[in-house]
Amino acid sequence: MKYAFIFLVLTGLVISPYLVSDVSALCVINDDWPDEPCFSGRRGMDPSLNQMKQGWAPYYEFKGAEWMESQKQELLQTIQNGNLLEWIKGDPNGARHNVYMYYFLMGDIPNQDGLFAEEYYGVRLLSPLRQSDSGIAFDEIHCGIDLILIQKYDGSPACVTESTKQKLIERGWITTKDDSDVFDSIPAFDYEIKTSAGITHGSQYFISGALVDEISYDEDRNSLTVLMTSSQSGILQIVIPIGLLHLPTQIPSYVVIADGEEIEYEKLTPILLKIPFDSGTEELEIIGTLP
């Protein structure tokens, strides 16, 4: 059983709030503290913070005040140095993990995300959408370990892996947390382009500061033209359909013209462009890679 405990520590402290957000606890023998409380149960039936505190409170007396206080100072220094995981993994019998659990639950130290127990246990069972619905600001929504907060095209939050995030960005379905100021409460709009060959391309755009009147395609110029009514400066983010302004095998490049004058833009992905425009702008033309 000793090896089972070591395995849990090395794979991310499965039963600890240090690395996880939702747990169906797996109880094993604790070599350092045989009386460690075992909180097992199904999702949605996890113990409360008060129950966790009561269960772990005897650990201090079990180990003794002098030893616990010395470990606390070492733990605080480790957190300050950013080496918490390495510190815990360096003790295979689990004592450091137990010290961390005790002081975290008692509210003396934060976890690796900077959250104290009161805050952590207040959000850990809530989905990103439920956190948002409860009034938590987008930038303060908490995701589980190894998950990244993103904002979907409809403005709602989600927690995904890094690989999933990149796939969604490439498809134009999300914006990242850094771009949340642009997309706050801005819906996604669909648009379609039909070529003379009868091929229909569908995609999406997001816009702030203006209303889009029309998006059209000029085959001779190999360009998309966005006609708009802008009451203020704003940003257009538009997903270019694959194979429309460039061949599928090409690395696309673009030129953007605003009311006849070339302007700078940001290419967030090969097909997702972020285009700032001034108040009063009526036309944005996006010229693609020539065949």
Side-chain angles (χ1 to χ4, degrees):
M1 295 302 291
K2 175 179 180 180
Y3 296 105
F5 180 81
I6 295 174
F7 174 77
L8 291 179
V9 173
L10 295 181
T11 53
L13 305 178
V14 176
I15 60 174
S16 167
Y18 173 61
L19 291 180
V20 296
S21 57
D22 291 309
V23 177
S24 291
L26 176 63
C27 300
V28 296
I29 295 176
N30 189 325
D31 287 347
D32 174 63
W33 186 31
D35 294 330
E36 175 193 5
C38 177
F39 297 104
S40 62
R42 294 171 297 176
R43 177 181 172 87
M45 299 180 64
D46 298 287
S48 68
L49 176 56
N50 285 336
Q51 289 173 319
M52 294 283 283
K53 282 184 177 181
Q54 292 173 10
W56 278 84
Y59 183 69
Y60 189 94
E61 183 177 353
F62 174 77
K63 298 296 290 188
E66 182 177 354
W67 186 86
M68 285 294 292
E69 292 302 324
S70 67
Q71 289 295 297
K72 181 180 180 180
Q73 295 306 312
E74 186 175 331
L75 175 59
L76 290 171
Q77 186 63 51
T78 298
I79 293 174
Q80 183 176 348
N81 295 338
N83 298 321
L84 180 56
L85 182 58
E86 291 78 7
W87 183 78
I88 293 174
K89 288 165 61 176
D91 178 21
N93 79 340
R96 289 180 178 176
H97 167 262
N98 294 340
V99 170
Y100 162 78
M101 284 293 294
Y102 174 84
Y103 283 115
F104 171 73
L105 291 171
M106 300 307 153
D108 293 331
I109 61 167
N111 66 6
Q112 69 167 11
D113 297 322
L115 297 175
F116 285 86
E118 292 284 350
E119 184 179 7
Y120 176 83
Y121 279 91
V123 302
R124 74 184 186 95
L125 295 180
L126 295 181
S127 68
L129 185 58
R130 289 181 62 192
Q131 291 182 54
S132 178
D133 291 343
S134 67
I136 297 175
F138 181 83
D139 286 343
E140 297 177 358
I141 290 175
H142 178 65
C143 290
I145 190 67
D146 293 333
L147 296 181
I148 300 169
L149 178 63
I150 58 94
Q151 192 171 38
K152 297 191 292 185
Y153 62 85
D154 61 359
S156 61
C159 294
V160 299
T161 63
E162 177 65 33
S163 60
T164 297
K165 185 191 82 168
Q166 294 303 321
K167 292 177 182 177
L168 295 178
I169 289 177
E170 290 172 3
R171 297 173 185 176
W173 290 349
I174 67 166
T175 179
T176 63
K177 187 173 179 178
D178 294 338
D179 293 327
S180 61
D181 58 328
V182 175
F183 279 87
D184 187 21
S185 300
I186 300 176
F189 295 96
D190 297 323
Y191 73 94
E192 286 189 349
I193 297 297
K194 190 171 184 177
T195 68
S196 60
I199 300 175
T200 300
H201 296 269
S203 200
Q204 294 180 320
Y205 70 88
F206 307 76
I207 194 166
S208 63
L211 295 175
V212 171
D213 301 314
E214 181 184 0
I215 299 179
S216 60
Y217 174 57
D218 186 322
E219 295 192 43
D220 293 332
R221 289 177 58 83
N222 191 38
S223 68
L224 281 179
T225 298
V226 181
L227 300 180
M228 65 175 67
T229 302
S230 58
S231 57
Q232 59 188 27
S233 298
I235 292 177
L236 169 70
Q237 290 202 27
I238 186 167
V239 182
I240 308 299
I242 295 176
L244 183 64
L245 299 185
H246 58 86
L247 297 177
T249 55
Q250 288 180 310
I251 298 177
S253 62
Y254 310 92
V255 174
V256 178
I257 308 294
D259 290 342
E261 182 177 346
E262 183 176 353
I263 61 172
E264 295 184 355
Y265 67 94
E266 183 179 355
K267 187 160 65 172
L268 301 178
T269 75
I271 61 171
L272 176 59
L273 308 185
K274 180 178 179 180
I275 306 171
F277 56 84
D278 295 330
S279 176
T281 299
E282 297 180 349
E283 180 182 290
L284 291 174
E285 184 180 19
I286 305 167
I287 304 173
T289 305
L290 295 177

